[in-house]
Amino acid sequence: MNYGIKRRVNHKGFTLLELLIAVAILAIIVVPILSAFLISVQTNAKAKDKQNASIAASNVVEDIKGRDMERIIADMTLKEDGTYEKIEIVNGQAYTVITTIDDTQYTNAPSELDDESTDYNEEELCKLYSVDKAYDGIYVQSKDQDVSFAKKLKKGMLSRDEWLEGFRRDTVISIVKENGENKVYVQSTYSYGKGDARVEESTAKQAIFSGKDNSPRNIYVFYQPMYNGSLRTVNEIFTIEQMELMPVNIYLVCQNPEDEDAKNYVTQVRCVEKIRTDWKNHTITHIRSNLPEGQLGTHGLWLTYRMENTPNDITDAQWNGSGKYENVAAASILDFKDLTNQDDNAWVYKVSVSAYKGQGDTREDESLVTYETTITKE
């Protein structure tokens, strides 16, 4: 006898209602994900376009900087309204860069420039590039700083000359890497007296440049000269510490350099760089000043240079004998430039730049990048 078991097979599938519910649930889950994905793609595309447009705009500005004004004005792409249009291809995409150049100074005599809005074009510069806080640092010493610190170290009712008599100022410009950023600090230390009786006090350490992705390009130090010394007595010293070996231009700008006391003024500049082997063909620190090159007994900047891995151990006597390094003059190693005798024939121009995606009929109406800058031209 066969006692086989009968199995009931359910051939019933999903109902239409169940299928619709499943599709609805899937839509609720998938649509936001797809929407987020599309938004992400669009955002990335816009960011890439904006980055490319920035590169295109920078390329055009650098091109303008590298050409003299006469050639730019003669260029057929410079229109009557002062706009300069150029097509730049970046990563296979065309971008239209429109640059507006205010060439008023070049095309008119300065005496004819009565419009205050273009007064900046009447300002003569001396080989001074446009300042950008992303690359440049500026330090301006207060006029009252020297006397203020002298009063802290001296006592009595004295005149300014008496306050500063025998007074010394050491200013350190340190270029360092700190917490993943490139930084430049300035700090001055004032001292007075002799031997064990000598007292000193320092200013707060001031950061004048900070850049995570950029290293400093130009450092401008505008300082009040210590005219309390003589050609044989140096009471003012600048020390530049370059342990990270970041290439930089340092402008030491003396205020009131035509003062009567300036003819008896000499200040020592000490630059210490970390020991390196390529110093003969690779200048790291470039010194610029509105003072001539001098030395002890001669008016101007007394330039000294050393290479050490521990700069704090260098004595004054060692510094005073560092006018040369391996028989090469410090001024040569530091690529020193005296700006006092330069012709004042460089002028500043205001430049407006806008970059658009595409060219001709395909060019978008809204600019991706728009900014203003200044350039100097002879």
Side-chain angles (χ1 to χ4, degrees):
M1 184 177 289
N2 184 6
Y3 294 100
I5 300 174
K6 293 183 178 180
R7 297 181 179 178
R8 297 181 64 185
V9 180
N10 185 2
H11 294 285
K12 184 180 179 181
F14 291 108
T15 66
L16 178 61
L17 179 60
E18 290 172 329
L19 185 61
L20 290 175
I21 292 174
V23 171
I25 293 173
L26 184 63
I28 292 173
I29 296 173
V30 172
V31 169
I33 295 176
L34 289 176
S35 178
F37 176 75
L38 291 175
I39 292 173
S40 176
V41 171
Q42 292 173 350
T43 300
N44 290 337
K46 289 181 179 179
K48 185 177 181 180
D49 280 337
K50 190 169 183 179
Q51 182 180 20
N52 289 342
S54 297
I55 294 173
S58 298
N59 290 343
V60 172
V61 171
E62 290 303 315
D63 175 60
I64 292 173
K65 287 182 178 180
R67 299 161 59 186
D68 60 64
M69 203 66 188
E70 186 174 345
R71 287 180 58 194
I72 292 172
I73 292 174
D75 196 310
M76 293 299 292
T77 55
L78 183 67
K79 301 178 181 179
E80 292 183 0
D81 60 356
T83 57
Y84 176 76
E85 186 171 316
K86 189 176 181 183
I87 307 301
E88 282 286 307
I89 307 297
V90 180
N91 294 326
Q93 174 64 52
Y95 295 87
T96 301
V97 181
I98 298 178
T99 308
T100 303
I101 305 173
D102 187 343
D103 62 344
T104 311
Q105 180 274 331
Y106 192 90
T107 55
N108 297 277
S111 59
E112 299 174 0
L113 301 177
D114 297 325
D115 185 357
E116 292 184 359
S117 65
T118 61
D119 279 351
Y120 51 80
N121 274 341
E122 297 186 60
E123 190 67 30
E124 293 182 80
L125 300 179
C126 187
K127 308 299 182 185
L128 185 64
Y129 295 93
S130 56
V131 177
D132 185 337
K133 68 178 182 179
Y135 299 94
D136 309 312
I138 297 180
Y139 172 79
V140 181
Q141 181 195 334
S142 167
K143 288 184 177 181
D144 301 325
Q145 179 175 296
D146 294 339
V147 173
S148 175
F149 274 83
K151 288 181 178 179
K152 292 180 181 180
L153 300 178
K154 291 186 176 184
K155 297 180 180 179
M157 298 297 292
L158 305 173
S159 67
R160 178 183 177 84
D161 290 342
E162 289 172 326
W163 279 122
L164 297 179
E165 184 179 356
F167 205 53
R168 171 171 157 169
R169 182 180 70 214
D170 290 78
T171 300
V172 176
I173 304 168
S174 50
I175 303 168
V176 300
K177 286 186 181 292
E178 188 177 85
N179 298 325
E181 292 190 53
N182 300 317
K183 292 192 174 184
V184 179
Y185 290 100
V186 176
Q187 184 176 36
S188 294
T189 298
Y190 292 89
S191 57
Y192 171 74
K194 295 182 180 180
D196 294 337
R198 192 167 187 83
V199 292
E200 65 178 38
E201 188 161 344
S202 300
T203 63
K205 196 174 183 180
Q206 182 176 340
I208 62 171
F209 174 85
S210 181
K212 186 173 183 179
D213 300 319
N214 303 325
S215 58
R217 176 182 60 181
N218 299 309
I219 300 299
Y220 301 95
V221 177
F222 297 86
Y223 70 95
Q224 304 297 324
M226 294 280 283
Y227 288 148
N228 61 335
S230 68
L231 293 179
R232 308 301 303 181
T233 305
V234 178
N235 285 337
E236 180 180 297
I237 295 172
F238 288 95
T239 301
I240 302 163
E241 296 182 348
Q242 270 274 41
M243 294 298 101
E244 301 296 341
L245 299 178
M246 297 185 203
V248 66
N249 300 314
I250 296 183
Y251 290 79
L252 298 177
V253 186
C254 176
Q255 305 300 284
N256 305 314
E258 297 178 356
D259 191 284
E260 178 63 25
D261 294 329
K263 61 185 179 182
N264 295 319
Y265 170 72
V266 60
T267 182
Q268 187 177 20
V269 178
R270 302 171 171 179
C271 180
V272 55
E273 294 180 348
K274 187 176 181 180
I275 295 175
R276 58 194 181 96
T277 59
D278 61 346
W279 64 273
K280 287 187 177 180
N281 51 24
H282 186 194
T283 301
I284 295 292
T285 308
H286 306 253
I287 305 294
R288 310 285 185 260
S289 182
N290 58 341
L291 293 176
E293 181 186 358
Q295 56 185 337
L296 197 61
T298 306
H299 162 69
L301 296 186
W302 175 18
L303 298 165
T304 54
Y305 177 86
R306 292 186 68 90
M307 281 192 221
E308 301 284 350
N309 290 329
T310 52
N312 294 334
D313 295 336
I314 307 173
T315 65
D316 281 352
Q318 289 175 321
W319 272 120
N320 294 343
S322 300
K324 293 183 178 181
Y325 186 86
E326 293 189 9
N327 293 320
V328 179
S332 177
I333 301 172
L334 297 171
D335 186 32
F336 175 69
K337 293 290 189 303
D338 173 10
L339 303 181
T340 56
N341 296 318
Q342 296 290 334
D343 294 332
D344 293 330
N345 57 0
W347 298 70
V348 64
Y349 294 86
K350 185 177 180 181
V351 178
S352 300
V353 187
S354 296
Y356 302 80
K357 185 177 181 180
Q359 60 177 315
D361 295 337
T362 66
R363 196 190 85 183
E364 296 180 355
D365 294 330
E366 186 175 347
S367 65
L368 293 171
V369 174
T370 298
Y371 65 90
E372 290 188 349
T373 185
T374 57
I375 60 173
T376 55
K377 291 250 171 238
E378 294 187 3

